[in-house]
């Protein structure tokens, strides 16, 4: 019995000791855990506060950059709206389209028609591509354009009834090539694959173009309309119309967009002339006059004795820089009064100084054509400086020295506005004449 009591007392003592140890642990160690927990919470609060502050700073920075958390969605929505509007526009345009015309560009002048006058694009953009094409709508007429070495008679499908054929008739080799195309078109007419044909012709610089007369409808042929360069005496405003020479697209002269710099900057040169000074030509006389009184030092002048058909990237940039940095561009007569330089100067807001004299050949005369030469440009009010003799140039250069920058800026604006208007007017007149000849006059 005593043994049982002893064991019971020992058990109680052991339990007491265990309780004492637990109480001591709770008192001494439990109280230490609470501050640690509090510190952890404070640390988390501090970290959260720092993170919030950091996010605030980041948000402020983003807001200063006009950050928009929904920017991606808004951009997608905007793209969708633009796409939808284009689809609606295309649908409405298709509903209004009444005529379709295809242009076959088999001469470089076709690129001036398409890219500069029609402001159309070509796919691919690579100028060396074998096949390039584009589309445009003017009024009620849908135009498609094809060009490139792969555009060969009999090797492409014909899915239109009306065609404009752009040809080069400047020299014998070109005339032979152009004739082959006309014969091909004639065969298409005979098989009723084509109904109407117009020709845009880069004519001979002496206006010796008799070879094409047999193909005109007025002479029993099949060509409804002829648009021809230079001051041909054939031009009647009905079925034979004058067409501008334009820029030298065959030398990769680009479509030029007007800029603030082009309009407002002071130009370091009064004038420029970069070109071939043919022997015994007015160009040689021009060079001699420029050397008088040091006028050549006021102008960007670079003359060569022989014409160079190929253009390098360096020479093209040099030429464009001369146009951009000169107030006037001197345009002496070459083989013909009309030259690419006139239109290229207009592209850069440099006033063309044009030698207003009739060239040799069969391009008409001032007796029968009072506005010749350059009838088309004069009829459309070209704001050029026309001279009859380069002896007038020194006085022009002296006057230029007295003109203020503001006056020059205004003059550039007038020229650039006129040139844009000139191209737009040609586009609409071209379309109106085609529609009248191909469609309206031929309705049954």
């Amino acid at each position: 019995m005593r043994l049982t009591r002893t064991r019971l007392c020992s058990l109680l003592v052991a339990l007491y000791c265990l309780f004492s140890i637990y109480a001591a642990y709770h008192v001494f160690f439990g109280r230490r855990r609470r501050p640690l927990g509090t510190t952890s919470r404070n640390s988390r609060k501090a970290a959260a506060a720092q993170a919030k502050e950091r996010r605030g700073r980041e948000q402020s920075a983003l807001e200063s950059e006009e950050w928009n958390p929904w920017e991606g969605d808004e951009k997608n929505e905007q793209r969708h709206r633009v796409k939808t509007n284009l689809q609606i526009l295309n649908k409405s345009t298709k509903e209004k389209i009444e005529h379709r015309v295809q242009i076959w560009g088999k001469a470089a002048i076709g690129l001036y028609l398409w890219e500069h006058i029609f402001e159309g694009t070509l796919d691919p953009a690579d100028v060396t591509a074998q096949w390039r094409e584009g589309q445009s709508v003017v009024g009620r007429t849908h135009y498609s354009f094809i060009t490139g070495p792969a555009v060969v008679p009999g090797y492409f499908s014909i899915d239109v009834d009306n065609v404009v054929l752009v040809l080069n008739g400047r020299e014998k080799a070109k005339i032979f090539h152009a004739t082959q195309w006309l014969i091909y078109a004639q065969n298409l007419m005979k098989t009723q694959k084509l109904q109407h044909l117009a020709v845009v012709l880069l004519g001979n610089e002496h206006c010796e173009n008799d070879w094409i007369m047999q193909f005109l409808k007025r002479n029993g042929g099949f060509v409804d309309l002829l648009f021809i360069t230079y001051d041909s005496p054939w031009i009647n405003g009905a079925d034979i119309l004058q067409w501008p020479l334009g820029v030298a697209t065959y030398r990769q002269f680009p479509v030029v967009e007007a800029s603030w710099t082009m309009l407002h900057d002071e130009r370091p040169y009064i004038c420029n002339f970069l070109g071939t000074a043919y022997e015994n030509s007015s160009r040689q006389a021009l060079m001699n006059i420029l050397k008088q009184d040091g006028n050549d030092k006021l102008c960007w002048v670079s003359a060569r004795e022989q014409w160079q058909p190929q253009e390098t990237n360096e020479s093209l940039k040099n030429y464009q820089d001369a146009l951009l940095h000169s107030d006037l561009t001197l345009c002496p007569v070459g083989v013909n009064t009309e030259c690419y330089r006139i239109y290229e100067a207009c592209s850069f807001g440099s006033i063309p100084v044009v030698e207003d004299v009739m060239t040799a050949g069969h391009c008409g005369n001032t007796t029968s054509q009072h506005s010749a030469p350059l009838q088309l440009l004069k009829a459309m009010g070209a704001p050029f400086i026309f001279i009859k003799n380069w002896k007038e140039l020194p006085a022009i250069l002296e006057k230029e020295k007295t003109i203020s920058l503001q006056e020059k800026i205004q003059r550039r604006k007038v020229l650039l506005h006129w040139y844009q208007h000139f191209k737009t007017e040609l586009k609409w007149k071209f379309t109106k004449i085609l529609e009248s000849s191909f469609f309206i006059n031929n309705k049954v």
Side-chain angles (χ1 to χ4, degrees):
M1 191 69 178
R2 285 181 65 185
L3 182 61
T4 302
R5 289 178 179 174
T6 301
R7 288 179 177 176
L8 180 60
C9 290
S10 298
L11 178 61
L12 291 172
V13 171
L15 289 172
Y16 177 79
C17 290
L18 288 172
F19 179 79
S20 298
I21 291 170
Y22 172 78
Y25 176 81
H26 183 73
V27 170
F28 294 105
F29 293 98
R31 288 180 180 177
R32 289 181 183 178
R33 287 177 64 190
R34 188 170 296 172
L36 285 172
T38 303
T39 302
S40 177
R41 286 196 296 273
N42 289 340
S43 297
R44 286 197 296 271
K45 287 181 180 179
Q50 290 175 358
K52 184 176 181 180
E53 183 181 356
R54 185 171 61 253
R55 285 195 300 270
R57 289 196 301 267
E58 292 172 351
Q59 182 69 20
S60 298
L62 289 169
E63 287 174 353
S64 68
E65 296 173 3
E66 298 182 349
W67 179 73
N68 182 353
W70 298 281
E71 185 177 19
D73 293 337
E74 288 182 353
K75 284 184 176 179
N76 290 334
E77 184 181 351
Q78 183 179 10
R79 281 195 290 266
H80 176 71
R81 286 199 304 267
V82 170
K83 185 177 180 181
T84 302
N85 289 339
L86 284 174
Q87 289 173 345
I88 293 172
L89 179 62
N90 289 336
K91 184 179 179 181
S92 63
T93 302
K94 287 178 181 178
E95 289 174 350
K96 293 179 181 178
I97 289 174
E98 296 182 12
H99 316 300
R100 295 186 180 275
V101 175
Q102 190 166 58
I103 303 173
W104 300 347
K106 295 310 300 178
I109 195 173
L111 294 177
Y112 182 71
L113 163 65
W114 186 252
E115 295 182 312
H116 294 251
I117 294 178
F118 274 68
E119 297 180 303
T121 58
L122 289 173
D123 184 35
D126 181 8
V127 296
T128 63
Q130 292 294 300
W131 179 285
R132 304 174 73 200
E133 59 186 331
Q135 298 187 44
S136 181
V137 175
V138 182
R140 297 173 298 170
T141 301
H142 175 276
Y143 290 97
S144 57
F145 183 91
I146 57 173
T147 189
V151 181
V152 179
Y155 287 88
F156 63 96
S157 59
I158 312 295
D159 56 358
V160 293
D161 296 329
N162 310 287
V163 166
V164 175
L165 181 55
V166 186
L167 299 172
N168 186 337
R170 177 164 283 184
E171 55 192 34
K172 286 185 177 180
K174 302 294 184 182
I175 291 172
F176 175 80
H177 182 70
T179 301
Q180 299 307 305
W181 270 99
L182 286 168
I183 293 172
Y184 172 66
Q186 185 178 35
N187 290 332
L188 293 175
M189 289 278 192
K190 290 178 179 178
T191 56
Q192 297 184 339
K193 291 181 178 179
L194 285 185
Q195 290 185 10
H196 301 288
L197 180 75
V199 171
V200 176
L201 180 66
L202 175 61
N204 177 269
E205 288 172 285
H206 293 295
C207 297
E208 296 169 353
N209 303 301
D210 290 350
W211 64 274
I212 200 171
M213 288 297 287
Q214 61 178 313
F215 297 104
L216 302 185
K217 185 168 284 189
R218 59 154 65 185
N219 297 319
F222 55 92
V223 175
D224 296 84
L225 295 169
L226 175 63
F227 298 85
I228 190 168
T229 59
Y230 305 119
D231 290 284
S232 171
W234 302 347
I235 295 166
N236 56 22
D239 63 332
I240 303 179
L241 304 107
Q242 189 165 4
W243 193 250
L245 182 62
V247 303
T249 54
Y250 76 99
R251 298 180 78 158
Q252 313 309 321
F253 192 90
V255 176
V256 180
E257 296 292 337
S259 65
W260 191 94
T261 298
M262 185 188 295
L263 278 172
H264 295 90
D265 277 10
E266 186 78 62
R267 300 192 178 191
Y269 298 95
I270 290 181
C271 69
N272 77 78
F273 173 70
L274 283 73
T276 308
Y278 301 106
E279 188 175 356
N280 298 322
S281 70
S282 64
R283 294 189 175 191
Q284 280 192 335
L286 168 61
M287 295 304 298
N288 293 332
I289 289 169
L290 281 172
K291 291 175 183 177
Q292 296 174 8
D293 303 322
N295 284 329
D296 57 333
K297 294 182 174 59
L298 302 174
C299 300
W300 187 327
V301 180
S302 178
R304 56 178 179 252
E305 294 182 356
Q306 291 185 337
W307 179 70
Q308 297 174 0
Q310 299 302 318
E311 189 83 77
T312 65
N313 290 335
E314 182 180 358
S315 63
L316 179 59
K317 183 180 185 305
N318 195 49
Y319 177 57
Q320 291 183 52
D321 285 344
L323 297 174
L324 180 60
H325 294 110
S326 304
D327 290 310
L328 308 176
T329 293
L330 309 182
C331 303
V333 166
V335 180
N336 192 282
T337 303
E338 188 175 9
C339 60
Y340 298 114
R341 191 188 320 274
I342 294 172
Y343 303 91
E344 292 161 352
C346 290
S347 300
F348 280 94
S350 182
I351 307 297
V353 181
V354 181
E355 186 177 7
D356 187 17
V357 296
M358 187 69 71
T359 49
H362 301 87
C363 291
N365 57 70
T366 53
T367 302
S368 59
Q369 296 166 298
H370 300 291
S371 59
L374 307 175
Q375 298 176 91
L376 178 61
L377 292 169
K378 290 176 180 176
M380 297 188 71
F384 303 164
I385 298 174
F386 292 97
I387 64 173
K388 293 296 183 182
N389 193 301
W390 287 112
K391 291 180 181 180
E392 302 171 41
L393 182 62
I396 293 172
L397 298 182
E398 285 300 316
K399 183 180 178 181
E400 280 296 307
K401 296 175 187 177
T402 67
I403 299 177
S404 69
L405 177 58
Q406 288 304 315
E407 290 174 310
K408 291 178 180 178
I409 290 171
Q410 182 57 34
R411 188 173 63 179
R412 291 172 202 165
K413 288 180 179 178
V414 170
L415 177 62
L416 291 168
H417 176 76
W418 173 84
Y419 187 47
Q420 182 58 48
H421 175 74
F422 170 78
K423 292 184 290 184
T424 302
E425 278 290 300
L426 281 177
K427 176 175 66 177
W428 284 100
K429 286 182 178 179
F430 182 84
T431 299
K432 183 179 179 181
I433 291 166
L434 279 186
E435 289 181 352
S436 176
S437 177
F438 284 9
F439 310 114
I440 297 175
N441 294 340
N442 291 277
K443 286 184 177 180
V444 179

